[in-house]
Amino acid sequence: MTLPDLKQLEAIVKPAAAEILVPGFGKHSYSYKADGSIITAADEAMQQRLEEELARTWPDYAFLGEEMSEAEQRAAMTNAAGYWCIDPLDGTNNYATGMPFFAVSIALIINKVQTLGLVYDPLRDEVFTAIRGEGALFNGEPLKCIPNKTEIRRSIAEIDMKRLPKELAIKLVNETPFSSQRNIGSSALDWCWLAACRYNIYLHGGQKPWDYAAGNLILHEAGGQSISLDGEPVFRGKYEDRSVLASLDDSLFSYWQQWLGIPVGKAK
């Protein structure tokens, strides 16, 4: 199978986002899915558009989208040697309510390995991309942020408390080790903004494969580290939720991992 060209992929994603997502930003009504998350017509329209165009351009690859059934998602991960792992609209709550933090996230998985990733923020026209072993790009330029060796007590942390273990969430409230905390509500942007040094450390509970498949690769190709809360690599080619911590700075990553009490494993 021929590896897709990133520019060609970008040329599919950008017009689709401009035509489907941007016009409805902050204007869409929404409904609730079985898991309590919300969905808009834009989620479904964007997924359909991407599925059709990716299949037409690269027919060798299967498709896994957030808005498919779990049975279809599991089948793609289990049966396909290569498949697209897509979140057509990451940050749907933000999108529906007019909060300007959402993105399109696309990863190509080949033989259970993250091979290519693209995250596009249509409001800022920012595109983050990576190919395994070839580094990461931000708007076509090398993304290699140099950490500024910030002390943990002066660091900015991007943290989503909602799906963390209760004991850990309480510890973070009572023993806050960082300077300030953010939560922008888009997992795909979380990974990319960390790769761009817009904050220093990251912690998020219960991400789905389409939440981390692309962004995790981009972070690592930019020089960052991540690990799950059970001390294992974040992406393992399985249909599983992952609670993760990450940083671009080696010393911050090590301290963050120790403070959280995470078993020392292989960061990926």
Side-chain angles (χ1 to χ4, degrees):
M1 291 184 283
T2 303
L3 194 64
D5 178 74
L6 281 173
K7 285 295 184 184
Q8 193 174 3
L9 179 60
E10 187 177 328
I12 288 173
V13 174
K14 282 189 170 184
E19 294 167 22
I20 296 172
L21 299 184
V22 174
F25 170 57
K27 303 172 185 176
H28 267 288
S29 59
Y30 56 86
S31 58
Y32 290 91
K33 297 190 282 189
D35 64 0
S37 61
I38 71 171
I39 184 171
T40 70
D43 293 82
E44 297 173 314
M46 188 68 180
Q47 179 165 296
Q48 181 178 353
R49 169 82 168 261
L50 291 175
E51 183 173 8
E52 291 171 354
E53 295 208 21
L54 292 173
R56 181 167 55 249
T57 309
W58 296 289
D60 290 337
Y61 299 114
F63 187 89
L64 185 164
E66 181 185 4
E67 308 312 332
M68 295 166 61
S69 70
E70 182 176 331
E72 292 171 319
Q73 292 163 348
R74 289 184 179 275
M77 296 192 85
T78 303
N79 301 326
Y83 64 92
W84 298 103
C85 185
I86 309 290
D87 192 336
L89 174 50
D90 180 68
T92 303
N93 278 280
N94 288 344
Y95 175 80
T97 57
M99 293 285 286
F101 304 105
F102 62 90
V104 182
S105 178
I106 300 180
L108 179 62
I109 313 300
I110 299 178
N111 295 325
K112 301 186 183 300
V113 175
Q114 298 151 288
T115 303
L116 176 152
L118 180 148
V119 173
Y120 179 54
D121 176 347
L123 293 186
R124 294 166 187 79
D125 195 28
E126 293 185 343
V127 59
F128 299 84
T129 59
I131 294 175
R132 178 170 291 275
E134 297 185 15
L137 300 174
F138 171 53
N139 286 343
E141 299 296 326
L143 177 61
K144 197 69 178 179
C145 183
I146 300 174
N148 58 10
K149 303 300 180 184
T150 304
E151 297 178 18
I152 190 76
R153 65 189 179 90
R154 300 189 186 282
S155 64
I156 299 173
E158 171 70 12
I159 297 179
D160 187 308
M161 295 273 198
K162 184 170 63 173
R163 299 179 184 88
L164 292 176
K166 182 178 179 180
E167 296 78 9
L168 177 54
I170 292 172
K171 180 180 180 181
L172 284 163
V173 171
N174 291 335
E175 305 173 33
T176 305
F178 40 78
S179 174
S180 61
Q181 178 184 337
R182 308 284 187 271
N183 178 18
I184 63 172
S186 168
S187 296
L189 291 182
D190 286 344
W191 289 104
C192 295
W193 285 19
L194 178 60
C197 282
R198 293 176 182 174
Y199 41 82
N200 309 111
I201 55 177
Y202 182 44
L203 178 66
H204 197 298
Q207 290 192 356
K208 302 289 186 182
W210 45 86
D211 293 323
Y212 57 79
N216 177 244
L217 175 64
I218 291 166
L219 173 68
H220 278 271
E221 289 298 321
Q225 296 188 68
S226 64
I227 200 167
S228 69
L229 293 191
D230 58 7
E232 294 291 327
V234 172
F235 188 85
R236 301 190 292 187
K238 302 177 181 179
Y239 188 96
E240 58 183 349
D241 294 358
R242 305 298 277 156
S243 295
V244 302
L245 63 118
S247 179
L248 261 174
D249 184 283
D250 290 346
S251 60
L252 269 183
F253 180 81
S254 179
Y255 184 96
W256 193 217
Q257 186 174 357
Q258 293 175 38
W259 191 91
L260 292 167
I262 307 307
V264 176
K266 186 178 180 183
K268 268 217 171 168

